Amino acid sequence: MRIVIAEDTVLLREGLAGLLEDAGHEVVARVGNADALLTMVAEHQPELALVDVRMPPSYEDEGARAAYLIRQRYPATAVLVLSQHIETPHAIELLRSGGGFGYLLKDRVLDVDDFLDAVRRVAAGGSALDPEVVAARIGVGRSLPVRAGSPGHARAANTSASESSTNQRRSRGRIAGSGERETRGRS
Amino acid sequence: MLCVLAGPRNPLLVELLLMQTSVAIAVGIAVTRHRLYEIDRLINRSLVYVPLSVLLAVGYVGITLAMGVVIGRGAPWTVATATLAVALAFRPLRARVQRAVDWRFDRAKFEGLRQVRAFEELVRAGHATPESVGVVLASALGDPTATLSFWLAHDGTSADGSDRPAGIDPSANRAFTEASRRGVRLGMLEHDTRLLDHRDLLDEVLGAASLTIEIARLRVEVKTRLAEVAASRARIVEAGYEERRRLERDLHDGAQQRLVSLGLKLRRAQRSLPPEARILEAPLDDAVNEIGRAIADLRKIAAGVRPARLDEGLAAALRDLARGTPVPVDVDATVERMPAPVEAAAYFVACEALANAVKHSSASHVAITARRDDGCLILSIQDDGVGGAEPRRGSGLAGLADRVDAHGGRFSVASPAGAGTGVEVNLPCA
């Protein structure tokens, strides 16, 4: 799969690129800001853009805004947003743009297999939402369907999301996500 | 002309005549134009003291005679009584005569002083504030363009920010006269240069108003300094919030990123291990898990320093706060956005109050409401615990009061024993 990485911390960017290349993906561009990201996506039309929320110059949410633009302009490019902390409005807003989107806390990449799973799933038109985000969104003691934007679902994989919603500490549970649209469509 | 007339006959006489005339003319000009010998004051004094002396003398003689008739002539205390009566009558009589003379010969000054005294009475009765003395001066001096600015001793400027010396600005026909009391600078009166022709009026009116001016100056100075203190306190609190934000950024974008990078490196090393080195799998797993926990800790610390969700508004941050609290918390918060420092202040108040509810009041339920009303954010935190909380100095509650104060807000605690604790905060949003 062809991937563009936008992450301003060089160490982390190279680490992510190495990880993805180890897994057999092709990292076609590595950039450190949102403008360069948009340029590279336009140029390479990758299957996935891996985007850090905070990037230069203002370190606010330019990554999330770029992600939104990519979803609008290049529907073929899925976006996986990485954030240092939970920022639900962005996540929810982006989820509304349909499948092919994921939103994860950065340290999820340390659970390499889960992370690579999420990458594949998002690129295939599914979604991935960090359990922390889900918990923050729905508060304590209530559960909501995790998936949004992806039609047809009901997979046991989401249980972790509602578990974490009742948990006040940070969940180390699996990444919540919906199944691949294509796979389901065919089966 | 004199030269032409007297020239051929006696040059010495002409010169002498000329000299004498010019001296007389010069003195005349100096007296009338430039107030040499303070001539008007001199005349005024004479006008006062001549009748005053006559009145006193008449009084003295009158008393002596009357007493002489009544108790016999030559009694030693006839003289004593008359002297005492005259001495006692001197001051009030002088004031009266002075007023009469002013009224008769210097109507402007009489009227000006009367206005100043009337204003003094109003101030004393609490019907006027001393600060409006400037307006009264303008009217008393008959110069509607006159303005008084008070001298602020602590920063060496006038209350209007200028620090003009006394003097004249001939280009604009403006003059600056210092108002002082016992050599202490009180303020500067800016007025029309024409008023300088009535120096006596100016001095007398300023002198009569000097106590009121001093009171006004002190009030203005206190008010200015209080405003400065409040502003600087607000700046310090805001700088504190800004520092927290910077620290939070540093934790997230610096330390946390490095740890993720480090963990990622270990993971890659782990995944590239040859089959015979599988023994390293477990310790590497442990190391990465440890890093994960460190990251989670950092995130918690950063959230305590300043929750990133405060960027999304108070409601989001309060809900997050409630989520991390071990007792059920109901949050009913407006989603309206308010200035960042106000939101931050409200958030930290809620944090402290919630921590108190959990730690000290054995509450089983807490309700937080935040609403906007009349330009203010009203935040209330009510628990159902044991109550009896007292905001002692140095306690968390007192710290909250200080924080709210710094924003110009109000803070109240109601904590009757056995009926829970309610903290209500009112923060102006302007």
PDB file of all heavy atoms in Angstrom, chain B residues 375-392:
ATOM      1  N   GLY B 375     -23.403  38.567  31.232  1.00  0.00           N
ATOM      2  CA  GLY B 375     -21.973  38.836  31.042  1.00  0.00           C
ATOM      3  C   GLY B 375     -21.063  38.163  32.043  1.00  0.00           C
ATOM      4  O   GLY B 375     -19.885  38.454  32.103  1.00  0.00           O
ATOM      5  N   CYS B 376     -21.632  37.246  32.837  1.00  0.00           N
ATOM      6  CA  CYS B 376     -20.812  36.553  33.823  1.00  0.00           C
ATOM      7  C   CYS B 376     -20.938  35.041  33.638  1.00  0.00           C
ATOM      8  O   CYS B 376     -21.969  34.560  33.178  1.00  0.00           O
ATOM      9  CB  CYS B 376     -21.264  36.902  35.234  1.00  0.00           C
ATOM     10  SG  CYS B 376     -20.667  38.491  35.784  1.00  0.00           S
ATOM     11  N   LEU B 377     -19.882  34.345  33.987  1.00  0.00           N
ATOM     12  CA  LEU B 377     -19.955  32.897  34.052  1.00  0.00           C
ATOM     13  C   LEU B 377     -20.260  32.530  35.500  1.00  0.00           C
ATOM     14  O   LEU B 377     -19.552  32.953  36.419  1.00  0.00           O
ATOM     15  CB  LEU B 377     -18.628  32.268  33.624  1.00  0.00           C
ATOM     16  CG  LEU B 377     -18.505  30.775  33.879  1.00  0.00           C
ATOM     17  CD1 LEU B 377     -19.512  30.008  33.039  1.00  0.00           C
ATOM     18  CD2 LEU B 377     -17.101  30.291  33.581  1.00  0.00           C
ATOM     19  N   ILE B 378     -21.341  31.787  35.674  1.00  0.00           N
ATOM     20  CA  ILE B 378     -21.701  31.375  37.029  1.00  0.00           C
ATOM     21  C   ILE B 378     -21.501  29.870  37.132  1.00  0.00           C
ATOM     22  O   ILE B 378     -22.146  29.093  36.437  1.00  0.00           O
ATOM     23  CB  ILE B 378     -23.144  31.765  37.362  1.00  0.00           C
ATOM     24  CG1 ILE B 378     -23.240  33.289  37.330  1.00  0.00           C
ATOM     25  CG2 ILE B 378     -23.537  31.244  38.735  1.00  0.00           C
ATOM     26  CD1 ILE B 378     -24.633  33.800  37.224  1.00  0.00           C
ATOM     27  N   LEU B 379     -20.590  29.496  37.996  1.00  0.00           N
ATOM     28  CA  LEU B 379     -20.235  28.095  38.155  1.00  0.00           C
ATOM     29  C   LEU B 379     -20.622  27.676  39.558  1.00  0.00           C
ATOM     30  O   LEU B 379     -20.340  28.383  40.527  1.00  0.00           O
ATOM     31  CB  LEU B 379     -18.718  27.940  37.971  1.00  0.00           C
ATOM     32  CG  LEU B 379     -18.131  26.561  38.232  1.00  0.00           C
ATOM     33  CD1 LEU B 379     -18.394  25.655  37.046  1.00  0.00           C
ATOM     34  CD2 LEU B 379     -16.646  26.659  38.492  1.00  0.00           C
ATOM     35  N   SER B 380     -21.309  26.533  39.644  1.00  0.00           N
ATOM     36  CA  SER B 380     -21.624  26.070  40.988  1.00  0.00           C
ATOM     37  C   SER B 380     -21.312  24.589  41.104  1.00  0.00           C
ATOM     38  O   SER B 380     -21.527  23.811  40.171  1.00  0.00           O
ATOM     39  CB  SER B 380     -23.098  26.375  41.300  1.00  0.00           C
ATOM     40  OG  SER B 380     -23.805  25.191  41.505  1.00  0.00           O
ATOM     41  N   ILE B 381     -20.739  24.225  42.237  1.00  0.00           N
ATOM     42  CA  ILE B 381     -20.406  22.830  42.507  1.00  0.00           C
ATOM     43  C   ILE B 381     -21.068  22.474  43.835  1.00  0.00           C
ATOM     44  O   ILE B 381     -20.739  23.044  44.873  1.00  0.00           O
ATOM     45  CB  ILE B 381     -18.872  22.613  42.614  1.00  0.00           C
ATOM     46  CG1 ILE B 381     -18.189  23.051  41.322  1.00  0.00           C
ATOM     47  CG2 ILE B 381     -18.564  21.155  42.879  1.00  0.00           C
ATOM     48  CD1 ILE B 381     -17.519  24.374  41.402  1.00  0.00           C
ATOM     49  N   GLN B 382     -22.021  21.567  43.781  1.00  0.00           N
ATOM     50  CA  GLN B 382     -22.789  21.220  44.978  1.00  0.00           C
ATOM     51  C   GLN B 382     -22.627  19.727  45.249  1.00  0.00           C
ATOM     52  O   GLN B 382     -22.876  18.899  44.370  1.00  0.00           O
ATOM     53  CB  GLN B 382     -24.268  21.556  44.746  1.00  0.00           C
ATOM     54  CG  GLN B 382     -25.185  21.219  45.908  1.00  0.00           C
ATOM     55  CD  GLN B 382     -24.939  22.117  47.119  1.00  0.00           C
ATOM     56  OE1 GLN B 382     -24.866  23.340  46.988  1.00  0.00           O
ATOM     57  NE2 GLN B 382     -24.791  21.515  48.296  1.00  0.00           N
ATOM     58  N   ASP B 383     -22.200  19.388  46.477  1.00  0.00           N
ATOM     59  CA  ASP B 383     -22.134  17.962  46.801  1.00  0.00           C
ATOM     60  C   ASP B 383     -23.133  17.635  47.912  1.00  0.00           C
ATOM     61  O   ASP B 383     -23.735  18.528  48.502  1.00  0.00           O
ATOM     62  CB  ASP B 383     -20.696  17.535  47.167  1.00  0.00           C
ATOM     63  CG  ASP B 383     -20.233  18.119  48.498  1.00  0.00           C
ATOM     64  OD1 ASP B 383     -21.042  18.164  49.435  1.00  0.00           O
ATOM     65  OD2 ASP B 383     -19.053  18.522  48.587  1.00  0.00           O
ATOM     66  N   ASP B 384     -23.315  16.335  48.164  1.00  0.00           N
ATOM     67  CA  ASP B 384     -24.283  15.934  49.185  1.00  0.00           C
ATOM     68  C   ASP B 384     -23.555  15.350  50.394  1.00  0.00           C
ATOM     69  O   ASP B 384     -24.061  14.448  51.057  1.00  0.00           O
ATOM     70  CB  ASP B 384     -25.277  14.926  48.604  1.00  0.00           C
ATOM     71  CG  ASP B 384     -24.573  13.659  48.138  1.00  0.00           C
ATOM     72  OD1 ASP B 384     -23.313  13.647  48.134  1.00  0.00           O
ATOM     73  OD2 ASP B 384     -25.259  12.687  47.783  1.00  0.00           O
ATOM     74  N   GLY B 385     -22.361  15.865  50.664  1.00  0.00           N
ATOM     75  CA  GLY B 385     -21.521  15.306  51.724  1.00  0.00           C
ATOM     76  C   GLY B 385     -21.844  15.848  53.105  1.00  0.00           C
ATOM     77  O   GLY B 385     -22.942  16.339  53.361  1.00  0.00           O
ATOM     78  N   VAL B 386     -20.821  15.803  53.985  1.00  0.00           N
ATOM     79  CA  VAL B 386     -21.045  16.130  55.390  1.00  0.00           C
ATOM     80  C   VAL B 386     -21.106  17.630  55.665  1.00  0.00           C
ATOM     81  O   VAL B 386     -21.545  18.055  56.735  1.00  0.00           O
ATOM     82  CB  VAL B 386     -19.939  15.515  56.288  1.00  0.00           C
ATOM     83  CG1 VAL B 386     -20.031  14.001  56.250  1.00  0.00           C
ATOM     84  CG2 VAL B 386     -18.551  15.980  55.866  1.00  0.00           C
ATOM     85  N   GLY B 387     -20.649  18.457  54.731  1.00  0.00           N
ATOM     86  CA  GLY B 387     -20.687  19.907  54.936  1.00  0.00           C
ATOM     87  C   GLY B 387     -19.673  20.362  55.957  1.00  0.00           C
ATOM     88  O   GLY B 387     -18.715  19.646  56.271  1.00  0.00           O
ATOM     89  N   GLY B 388     -19.875  21.551  56.505  1.00  0.00           N
ATOM     90  CA  GLY B 388     -18.985  22.072  57.538  1.00  0.00           C
ATOM     91  C   GLY B 388     -17.621  22.501  57.018  1.00  0.00           C
ATOM     92  O   GLY B 388     -16.680  22.613  57.786  1.00  0.00           O
ATOM     93  N   ALA B 389     -17.516  22.752  55.718  1.00  0.00           N
ATOM     94  CA  ALA B 389     -16.229  23.188  55.166  1.00  0.00           C
ATOM     95  C   ALA B 389     -16.012  24.655  55.484  1.00  0.00           C
ATOM     96  O   ALA B 389     -16.946  25.442  55.483  1.00  0.00           O
ATOM     97  CB  ALA B 389     -16.207  22.984  53.658  1.00  0.00           C
ATOM     98  N   GLU B 390     -14.764  24.997  55.793  1.00  0.00           N
ATOM     99  CA  GLU B 390     -14.451  26.390  56.089  1.00  0.00           C
ATOM    100  C   GLU B 390     -13.263  26.823  55.262  1.00  0.00           C
ATOM    101  O   GLU B 390     -12.222  26.175  55.288  1.00  0.00           O
ATOM    102  CB  GLU B 390     -14.085  26.523  57.576  1.00  0.00           C
ATOM    103  CG  GLU B 390     -15.147  27.207  58.403  1.00  0.00           C
ATOM    104  CD  GLU B 390     -14.708  27.288  59.834  1.00  0.00           C
ATOM    105  OE1 GLU B 390     -13.869  28.156  60.118  1.00  0.00           O
ATOM    106  OE2 GLU B 390     -15.194  26.474  60.657  1.00  0.00           O
ATOM    107  N   PRO B 391     -13.430  27.925  54.536  1.00  0.00           N
ATOM    108  CA  PRO B 391     -12.295  28.374  53.727  1.00  0.00           C
ATOM    109  C   PRO B 391     -11.236  29.052  54.588  1.00  0.00           C
ATOM    110  O   PRO B 391     -11.210  30.258  54.699  1.00  0.00           O
ATOM    111  CB  PRO B 391     -12.927  29.354  52.726  1.00  0.00           C
ATOM    112  CG  PRO B 391     -14.273  29.681  53.250  1.00  0.00           C
ATOM    113  CD  PRO B 391     -14.615  28.750  54.358  1.00  0.00           C
ATOM    114  N   ARG B 392     -10.398  28.254  55.237  1.00  0.00           N
ATOM    115  CA  ARG B 392      -9.326  28.824  56.049  1.00  0.00           C
ATOM    116  C   ARG B 392      -8.206  29.328  55.153  1.00  0.00           C
ATOM    117  O   ARG B 392      -8.063  28.912  54.012  1.00  0.00           O
ATOM    118  CB  ARG B 392      -8.743  27.758  56.988  1.00  0.00           C
ATOM    119  CG  ARG B 392      -9.584  27.475  58.195  1.00  0.00           C
ATOM    120  CD  ARG B 392      -8.826  26.542  59.106  1.00  0.00           C
ATOM    121  NE  ARG B 392      -8.173  25.455  58.347  1.00  0.00           N
ATOM    122  CZ  ARG B 392      -8.786  24.351  57.973  1.00  0.00           C
ATOM    123  NH1 ARG B 392     -10.057  24.171  58.271  1.00  0.00           N
ATOM    124  NH2 ARG B 392      -8.147  23.420  57.294  1.00  0.00           N
TER     125      ARG B 392
END
